């Protein structure tokens, strides 16, 4: 049993509206109250709803964190459509995702752009959840570890050892996201162990032992516990199931027992 605090994030992606984001925040605050001490819980609502969700969680004295799904690395200026770190902080965000596969493969972000975002988040004292993972054709070509290594090394280039305290790694195999296909606990564990070994090589064994590596890709109440029981899986980044209060709460509970 590791002494890493389990982490469960709810990535709402481009879902919800003003009413449903508020009721989801209220529901999650209530349903997850009992596990808040034993699991770090964070929700990542769409940008327009960050302030509303944060204020609902504050009004319930909830320990659930709020994070941005993406941030631009520049401070301010002529970057139409982008959101800065200061804006996210103003809205009550303490965390942000970087390099989600939908940003990499739908929007076209490069490993280098992801690295610039990671560094900006860490320099701005936000916790950064760096998402990595291989596509189906890469897995079938036996390139899982190679892709994870490239995305990890480039994503964390020029990140200092101390800054790693504010980094969570999310391993999200692209073929498992939103498809209902989950990596088997053994396959996920193998990828997580490889990622931890790389962190060890890059930052030393203390950092490797402390860093949370969470799994994402069709995590549901029915498969969460067996995934979280693996020695190198420290929680999950949840998409679809994070939009259902009961499912998200059940997954958070599974993490609290792992
Ligand atoms: P699903 O849980 O919907 O597969 O999404 C996972 C994900 O991408 C979380 O960031």
């Amino acid at each position: 049993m590791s002494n890493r605090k389990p982490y469960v994030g709810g990535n709402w992606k481009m879902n919800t509206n003003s009413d449903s984001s508020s009721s989801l925040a209220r529901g999650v605050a209530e349903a997850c109250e009992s596990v808040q001490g034993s699991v770090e819980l964070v929700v990542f609502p769409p940008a327009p709803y960050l302030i509303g969700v944060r204020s609902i969680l504050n009004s319930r004295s909830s320990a659930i964190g709020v994070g941005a799904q993406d941030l631009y690395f520049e401070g301010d200026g002529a970057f139409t459509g982008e959101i800065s770190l200061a804006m996210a902080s103003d809205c009550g965000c303490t965390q942000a995702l970087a390099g989600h596969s939908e940003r990499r493969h739908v929007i076209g972000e490069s490993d280098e752009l992801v690295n610039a975002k990671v560094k900006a988040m860490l320099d701005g004292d936000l916790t950064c959840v760096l998402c990595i993972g291989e596509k189906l054709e890469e897995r079938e070509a036996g390139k899982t570890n190679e892709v994870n290594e490239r995305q990890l090394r480039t994503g964390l280039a020029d990140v200092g050892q101390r800054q790693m305290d504010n980094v969570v790694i999310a391993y999200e195999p692209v073929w498992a996201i939103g498809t209902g296909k989950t990596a088997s606990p053994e396959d996920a564990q193998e990828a997580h162990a490889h990622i931890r070994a790389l962190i060890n090589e890059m930052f030393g064994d203390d950092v490797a032992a402390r860093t949370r590596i969470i799994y994402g890709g069709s995590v549901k109440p029915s498969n969460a516990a067996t995934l979280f029981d693996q020695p190198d899986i420290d929680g999950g980044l949840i998409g679809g199931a994070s939009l259902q209060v009961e499912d998200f709460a059940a997954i958070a509970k599974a993490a609290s027992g792992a």
Side-chain angles (χ1 to χ4, degrees), residues 11 13 100 102 172 176-178 217-219 237-240:
N11 176 8
K13 306 193 180 185
H100 190 278
E102 286 139 24
E172 302 202 292
I177 296 179
S218 298
V219 178
L237 188 55
I238 320 302

Side-chain angles (χ1 to χ4, degrees), residues 182-190 192 215 217-236 250-251 253-258:
T182 320
S184 70
E186 296 74 26
D187 282 349
Q189 164 57 26
E190 194 183 320
H192 282 231
Y215 170 82
S218 298
V219 178
K220 306 180 268 278
S222 57
N223 60 23
T226 47
L227 285 161
F228 301 162
D229 276 348
Q230 300 298 313
D232 287 296
I233 301 184
D234 305 312
I251 293 167
K253 283 196 184 99
S256 76

Side-chain angles (χ1 to χ4, degrees), residues 19-78:
D19 284 347
S20 62
S21 62
S22 299
S23 56
L24 187 52
R26 278 191 289 271
V28 167
E30 197 170 312
C32 294
E33 210 175 330
S34 62
V35 295
Q36 277 173 36
S38 49
V39 185
E40 182 172 356
L41 294 175
V42 185
V43 292
F44 296 88
Y49 310 127
L50 287 170
I51 293 184
V53 167
R54 182 65 269 169
S55 76
I56 286 167
L57 294 174
N58 284 350
S59 72
R60 279 154 202 257
S61 306
S62 173
I64 297 175
V66 175
Q69 295 177 12
D70 183 47
L71 293 179
Y72 201 53
F73 64 91
E74 295 281 5
D76 51 41

Side-chain angles (χ1 to χ4, degrees), residues 29-194:
E30 197 170 312
C32 294
E33 210 175 330
S34 62
V35 295
Q36 277 173 36
S38 49
V39 185
E40 182 172 356
L41 294 175
V42 185
V43 292
F44 296 88
Y49 310 127
L50 287 170
I51 293 184
V53 167
R54 182 65 269 169
S55 76
I56 286 167
L57 294 174
N58 284 350
S59 72
R60 279 154 202 257
S61 306
S62 173
I64 297 175
V66 175
Q69 295 177 12
D70 183 47
L71 293 179
Y72 201 53
F73 64 91
E74 295 281 5
D76 51 41
F79 304 103
T80 302
E82 295 295 326
I83 294 168
S84 74
L85 188 137
M87 293 171 190
S89 299
D90 260 358
C91 297
C93 290
T94 51
Q95 310 213 354
L97 305 180
H100 190 278
S101 74
E102 286 139 24
R103 303 285 325 163
R104 293 178 189 270
H105 303 304
V106 181
I107 312 293
E109 290 192 7
S110 66
D111 295 339
E112 290 71 23
L113 177 58
V114 173
N115 176 241
K117 293 181 174 190
V118 168
K119 285 189 294 187
M121 290 169 192
L122 296 174
D123 289 344
D125 287 331
L126 288 197
T127 292
C128 168
V129 182
L130 171 62
C131 306
I132 64 173
E134 83 287 1
K135 295 194 277 191
L136 182 59
E137 58 267 33
E138 294 165 332
R139 165 156 290 243
E140 286 172 343
K143 292 189 172 160
T144 298
N145 286 347
E146 189 184 314
V147 171
N148 282 336
E149 177 160 359
R150 193 197 71 231
Q151 293 184 352
L152 192 79
R153 284 192 189 278
T154 312
L156 295 177
D158 302 321
V159 168
Q161 202 174 26
R162 288 227 187 92
Q163 290 182 308
M164 284 299 290
D165 281 344
N166 287 332
V167 173
V168 174
I169 305 296
Y171 168 59
E172 302 202 292
V174 182
W175 49 270
I177 296 179
T179 58
K181 289 185 202 153
T182 320
S184 70
E186 296 74 26
D187 282 349
Q189 164 57 26
E190 194 183 320
H192 282 231
H194 178 250

